[in-house]
Each structure stands twice: as structure tokens, then as C-alpha cells.
Amino acid sequence: IQAHGRPRYNKNGVADRMVGMTSDITEKKLAEQRKDDFLSVASHELKTPLTAVKASIQLLNRIKDHPYSEIHTRLIEQSDKEIEKMHMLIDDLLNMSRLGQDQLMLEYGVFNLYEMLSKSCSHVRFENKYQLILKGDENLMVYADEHRIEQVVVNLVNNAVKYAKDSEEIHISIESLENEIKVSVRDFGNGISESLLPHLFDRYYRVEHMSKSYSGLGLGLYICSEIIKKHSGKIGVDSKLGEGSTFWFTLPDKKVS
Ligand code: ADP
């Protein structure tokens, strides 16, 4: 504990008290340590795909005079995937820095939720493995920041693709509840154990045993929760080991038609 202060004198001119502030430097040190750890994780996470792209390009360079073959195609596709990973990591970093400066401004507008969901999911790479099933009211209009809500959904669907590899289907549903609209993204993967669920939306949190096999910064769900909170909505997850997970969020129903 660090103290800054000055003495306070009683009516006899005797200093009988110190007035001032105390600050917990151990907390500050911990915050700095966390920042350093984060920077080193972030650099590592960016370096891994970069190294893979470099290796592919070096190989392409070596075989550039050979007739175009499957190897060329594979190396280009792999590089493209790695670049996409870097892109997503950098987006998370940028969003994170905006959140830190409280610069996440929402641009509200009215849009068709079903249309937005089907459009945004067509951008996710499914590698022809997953079947995406979208259910709900096709005419529901909502008042929210379309771009930010799209960002949340893409994040949840990307996570399902990334962490629920065994899932053959991903279900997205829209429900109109009493005063709110609920969007759920359900996968049929391995699920997440109950004790970990309360931490998933924390900043930098990643499930330990999975973090080695998948790239990420532990920011995606945190960013989603900040976006949803800013809309005065709720976000959560229901999951059962062996049965899969449902990530959901709600938005207040502003009754637009
Ligand atoms: P990141 O993907 O960068 O690790 P997120 O905040 O998006 O960060 O996710 C936090 C953690 O939650 C992930 O590391 C992963 O372990 C777990 N997770 C997220 N979505 C799923 C899912 N659909 N199935 C299983 N685990 C998940």
C-alpha cells in the first residue's frame, strides 16, 4: 500500500492526523503484469500465422517455375486462411483498444434481423462441413447497431466452427419474447464444463486445455458482451459436456414495424 498525504493540526498546533490517500501498488503491479502477459500472448498469436504464411510463400517461390499444380493451390489457400486469422486477431485488438478508451459508439438503425443473420453467416468459412440452420421470424425488424450486432453473431458462429469441430450443424434462432428479442447460436460439439461457464465472457479468458490448439486472444466473447451491454441487452451461455453449447443474447424489443 502506498500513501500520499499531509499532516492535519489540532487547535493546539499539534499534528494529530494524516489526511490523504492510499493506493494499492500491488494491484497496479498486477495490472501491469497482466498487460505484459497479454502483449506477449498477442505477439505470439500474430507471429504463428505470419510464420506459416512466410513458409508457404518461400515454398511457392521455390516451385514458381514448375507447372501449376495442386501444391500451388494448397499453399495459396493455406496462406489465405492464416491471413484471415491475423485479420480477426487484429480486429479484436482494435475493438479492445476502442473499448478501453470508451469509444464504442453505437449507430442505431432499423433493420431486418433474419436478413442480417443470413447475410452475415454467408461470410463465415464453413469448409463445407457444417450445415447452418437459421430459424425464426423472417420479418422481424429491430432497432440496434446492425454492424455491431453482426459482429457479435459472426463471433459466436466463428467460435462454434472453431471450438465445436464435431458439430455437423449450427443452429441460429430468433425468438420474440415478452419485451426482448433473443438470438441463440447452438452447436453440437463437446460443450464446456459448468465450472468454466462464469468466466467465458471475462477479458483475456481462454479455456486452458484448448488454448494450445486454437489461435485466439480471449477477447471475442468479452467484446461481444460489451456490445450487447451497450445495447442494454443480456448475453449468456448454456452448455453441457458432450452435448454442445448455446451462446445467446437478447436485445430490448423496441417494437418497430
Ligand atoms: P478466443 O476464441 O480468442 O479464445 P473467446 O472470448 O471468443 O476467445 O472465447 C473464450 C473461450 O471460450 C475460448 O478460448 C474457448 O475455450 C471457449 N469457447 C468459446 N466458444 C465456444 C464453443 N462454441 N464451444 C466450446 N468452447 C467455446
Side-chain angles (χ1 to χ4, degrees):
I1 307 275
Q2 202 174 45
H4 317 270
R6 56 197 157 74
R8 210 180 75 173
Y9 299 93
N10 66 15
K11 55 181 186 289
N12 303 320
V14 179
D16 63 350
R17 247 190 244 174
M18 285 288 285
V19 279
M21 288 177 354
T22 58
S23 62
D24 194 337
I25 49 171
T26 46
E27 187 51 43
K28 260 191 218 156
K29 277 230 167 93
L30 268 178
E32 264 168 40
Q33 178 68 44
R34 273 198 292 265
K35 218 175 202 170
D36 286 348
D37 289 349
F38 173 70
L39 278 178
S40 101
V41 172
S43 319
H44 175 79
E45 289 294 311
L46 281 168
K47 214 171 160 187
T48 311
L50 198 61
T51 310
V53 172
K54 193 171 173 192
S56 292
I57 288 177
Q58 278 171 345
L59 202 54
L60 273 171
N61 206 19
R62 248 186 277 151
I63 58 172
K64 66 176 186 296
D65 298 328
H66 294 214
Y68 193 86
S69 69
E70 231 176 72
I71 302 174
H72 294 82
T73 312
R74 211 174 52 232
L75 288 171
I76 291 168
E77 278 174 4
Q78 268 168 10
S79 302
D80 192 33
K81 255 193 233 165
E82 298 298 333
I83 287 170
E84 178 69 19
K85 268 190 212 163
M86 284 192 271
H87 207 152
M88 291 199 316
L89 289 168
I90 289 169
D91 273 350
D92 276 356
L93 284 172
L94 285 174
N95 280 310
M96 180 63 200
S97 115
R98 278 194 202 118
L99 284 174
Q101 297 161 29
D102 205 16
Q103 280 178 355
L104 187 84
M105 299 294 180
L106 296 184
E107 284 179 33
Y108 275 89
V110 177
F111 59 93
N112 179 311
L113 186 61
Y114 189 96
E115 266 173 29
M116 184 279 270
L117 292 174
S118 73
K119 195 176 67 196
S120 57
C121 293
S122 63
H123 301 316
V124 179
R125 287 167 186 257
F126 291 110
E127 295 171 2
N128 301 326
K129 196 186 144 206
Y130 296 90
Q131 203 187 342
L132 194 79
I133 298 170
L134 178 55
K135 279 188 193 149
D137 184 350
E138 294 181 19
N139 300 311
L140 189 69
M141 302 300 287
V142 295
Y143 182 64
D145 184 325
E146 181 170 3
H147 172 69
R148 292 290 172 194
I149 299 300
E150 176 174 357
Q151 194 184 337
V152 172
V153 173
V154 168
N155 219 315
L156 299 181
V157 175
N158 266 325
N159 273 355
V161 170
K162 186 159 133 190
Y163 296 112
K165 286 236 178 309
D166 299 338
S167 189
E168 284 171 8
E169 289 180 3
I170 295 169
H171 293 187
I172 303 182
S173 63
I174 305 172
E175 289 165 87
S176 255
L177 305 176
E178 204 171 327
N179 292 312
E180 55 192 16
I181 292 155
K182 185 173 183 182
V183 177
S184 310
V185 177
R186 168 147 174 61
D187 68 61
F188 299 85
N190 286 336
I192 306 155
S193 64
E194 208 179 328
S195 61
L196 306 178
L197 297 180
H199 307 291
L200 292 186
F201 297 90
D202 291 351
R203 189 158 54 157
Y204 309 139
Y205 184 80
R206 309 198 70 209
V207 175
E208 182 87 32
H209 66 274
M210 312 243 271
S211 59
K212 289 183 191 74
S213 326
Y214 304 98
S215 68
L217 295 169
L219 290 177
L221 290 176
Y222 168 73
I223 293 168
C224 291
S225 86
E226 291 297 305
I227 292 173
I228 297 301
K229 271 195 240 153
K230 236 185 158 148
H231 278 86
S232 309
K234 287 175 276 174
I235 189 162
V237 54
D238 306 312
S239 188
K240 244 189 177 167
L241 276 181
E243 290 184 17
S245 315
T246 304
F247 284 85
W248 55 264
F249 64 88
T250 65
L251 293 171
D253 189 357
K254 303 256 187 325
K255 299 277 177 252
V256 276
S257 53

